[in-house]
Amino acid sequence: RGTPMEEAPVVFEGEEGDVSVSARVATLPGFRHHLFHRALDFYTSRTWILRGGELVEIDVPTHADADVRERWLVIRPRTEWTVGGTTHPGGSLLASDLDGYLAGERALHVVFEPTETAALAGWSWTRDHLLVSLLEDVRDRLDVVTPARGWERRPFTGQPQLWTVEAGALEPDDNDDCLVEGRDFITPSTLFVTAVDGEPELLRQAPRRFDAAGLAVGQHFVKSLDGTRIPYFVVGPEGGHGSPAPTLLGGYGGFEVARQPEYAGVLGRSWLASGGTYVLANIRGGGEYGPRWHQAGLREHRHRVYEDFEAVAADLIERGITTPAQLGCSGGSNGGLLVGNMYVRSPQLWGAIVCQVPLLDMRRYHRLLAGASWMAEYGDPDVADDWSFMQTFSPYHLVEADGAYPPLLLTTSTRDDRVHPGHARKMAARLVELGHDVTYWENIEGGHGGAADASQQAVMSALAYTFLQRHLM
């Protein structure tokens, strides 16, 4: 510190095309490791470890994540990996002795292997244990793995009975105490402290922002067009409304992001408390069932993401939860691309759509702001074979003059540094030109979040829920 940058030695560097470059230090006394990481794109990377003053690359596939702790190496391959004569499915968690692996040994212990209903969500270390977070049909489950006992795995006794649960070590270099946080749609964030094999002790709970009395969370499954089982959550009055009700359907379906039950005070006060039902669809493209769920919606398979969302919408109507005139959907960013495709693909299913900070012009997205970093997700439109499938999910190019489209609210931010506001501007201009019902709002601040502070967030939320209430209630 305090020395000129031009005198600083280069410790590690990436290449111009990398998505990111990072370094970290594992600080456990007696096992200090320096790790360097290059993300080649969103889903491939390379990792090095400093040994004897030299950088040594950890020899794992570029589609695999590598983590080092004490004398252990843990690896999560994203796709099927054959090593040492054994084939491990993508989404497995594998462990090895670090020194032995660097020396060429390939004795791997299987800590976790995915099933049709269970996927690895993540892991973290305490002093002597590995906490493994799993998703079992989109419900969190925590296990404790002990390397010193031959990687013995057992349930984590300190888990609260809530849909979404996260755990992390309190002092990972010193002890095995954990902080555990749980929440769901109607339960605000609740924080516990516990030992690995202890009972959770409540520390505190975030304030309740709406009256959840009489509300319940349910989960359903529906088959998509190709027969794949798609889960979704429904939040509304226990036992239902008794008749179809205004319903808002949300989803994301991209970048291996798992959408789980979250407490949302604004949603509760602005929609649920007004008599609306909320639904969250766990469609492909996300990470709810691990890498396979994500890869099933990549690039030329993107249509499955939209078919899944439409299947959930149709099931809500068939179950009598809502009607097309009372059903709306909303999404932002990649979720804005999702609902933008609902607008052009299946307008008959929707009474209104809210599309926020969206991607909509897939012909030029890679030339705008951070767009080039997403080509592993969507494809490269400058490649003819890629554009042949990408044009089927580029809403800007699919709008028709004689289309019967539902009312649409388009919002963006002038200072969005991820998804260029040009997507929303062009789409709005095109819809106005064709005489379709579109409402447009551009906030001049706020970046990709669409708002720069709480007051702006309040305005943006009020716009969205007022629009939905006017058209659906």
Side-chain angles (χ1 to χ4, degrees), residues 39 69 187 206 221 283 376 418 436:
R69 169 76 174 183
T187 308
F221 298 85
I283 53 182
R418 251 187 248 183
H436 296 309

Side-chain angles (χ1 to χ4, degrees), residues 267-298:
L267 170 70
R269 293 187 68 168
S270 303
W271 187 252
L272 297 174
S274 300
T277 294
Y278 178 69
V279 179
L280 177 62
N282 300 115
I283 53 182
R284 283 174 287 185
E288 287 86 347
Y289 292 101
R292 69 175 179 87
W293 201 245
H294 170 235
Q295 291 156 15
L298 279 179

Side-chain angles (χ1 to χ4, degrees), residues 275-413:
T277 294
Y278 178 69
V279 179
L280 177 62
N282 300 115
I283 53 182
R284 283 174 287 185
E288 287 86 347
Y289 292 101
R292 69 175 179 87
W293 201 245
H294 170 235
Q295 291 156 15
L298 279 179
R299 293 170 48 86
E300 65 269 25
H301 304 306
R302 202 84 196 165
H303 61 92
R304 295 171 179 166
V305 176
Y306 310 130
E307 290 166 0
D308 293 354
F309 203 69
E310 290 164 344
V312 172
D315 200 49
L316 293 171
I317 296 166
E318 185 176 342
R319 288 177 182 269
I321 292 174
T322 192
T323 64
Q326 296 171 295
L327 177 59
C329 63
S330 67
S333 191
N334 174 72
L337 177 61
L338 166 67
V339 300
N341 273 281
M342 293 302 100
Y343 182 78
V344 294
R345 280 176 54 103
S346 50
Q348 74 283 359
L349 288 176
W350 313 101
I353 294 176
V354 175
C355 185
Q356 301 159 314
V357 291
L359 288 94
L360 295 169
D361 177 3
M362 301 308 291
R363 187 66 186 86
R364 288 186 52 78
Y365 85 98
H366 64 313
R367 299 183 180 274
L368 301 172
L369 300 178
S373 67
W374 309 325
M375 287 193 290
E377 180 80 13
Y378 301 122
D380 182 351
D382 290 338
V383 175
D385 286 347
D386 284 12
W387 179 241
S388 68
F389 62 77
M390 292 182 68
Q391 63 185 324
T392 68
F393 59 84
S394 183
Y396 178 74
H397 296 92
L398 297 174
V399 176
E400 297 177 350
D402 59 353
Y405 301 117
L408 176 69
L409 172 62
L410 269 171
T411 69
T412 188
S413 166

